[in-house]
Amino acid sequence: MYTDPIADFLTRIRNASMARLKTVEIPGSNTKRAMTAILFDQGYIANYKFEEDDKQGVIKIALKYNQSTKVPAITKIDRASRPGLRKYSSATEMPRVLNGLGIAIVSTSRGVITDKEARKENVGGEVLCYVY
């Protein structure tokens, strides 16, 4: 049993990326599924697949690397808000990651979206993580 499933999700991706693994399996949840879809849409992972089982399901993620240098597409993936210290941001004060080159994944009233979409839709929320 772990207390922070989002941190576990990010740590599994970070560790698999540093170990140069092709795929990683993560226990599923709706928030993790939305975060995985965002990572795919933004080009940080190669592919993903949701598999159902008797419990919560499994997310299989194919990691993405540079073809020539074998450098992972995800340079850094960090948890922003955590159970002990939640970080919320309004639409006007939404953080910019690497001056717009990275993304922040935000949980809003309109679902889990990127910081750019949150600014465009003028909604704030809990900043879950930073990816670049």
Side-chain angles (χ1 to χ4, degrees), residues 106-121:
V106 184
S107 177
T108 67
S109 58
R110 300 209 179 129
V112 179
I113 58 177
T114 64
D115 58 331
K116 295 173 183 107
E117 293 171 12
R119 266 189 232 96
K120 189 171 79 176
E121 293 182 19

Side-chain angles (χ1 to χ4, degrees), residues 61-100:
I61 298 174
L63 299 173
K64 189 175 184 179
Y65 299 95
N66 185 331
Q67 294 295 330
S68 59
T69 61
K70 304 292 183 204
V71 175
I74 298 175
T75 308
K76 194 158 180 135
I77 185 165
D78 281 334
R79 182 83 157 113
S81 180
R82 52 185 211 265
L85 179 63
R86 300 286 185 189
K87 296 211 175 164
Y88 296 96
S89 180
S90 65
T92 56
E93 297 173 358
M94 196 61 64
R96 291 177 55 90
V97 181
L98 282 182
N99 204 21

Side-chain angles (χ1 to χ4, degrees), residues 9 13 26 31-41 45 47-50 59-61:
F9 170 81
I13 291 175
I26 300 168
T31 305
K32 292 181 204 175
R33 288 175 186 232
M35 291 174 69
T36 303
I38 288 173
L39 289 174
F40 178 72
D41 292 339
I45 59 175
N47 209 347
Y48 65 94
K49 184 167 131 182
F50 302 132
I59 304 170
K60 290 189 177 184
I61 298 174

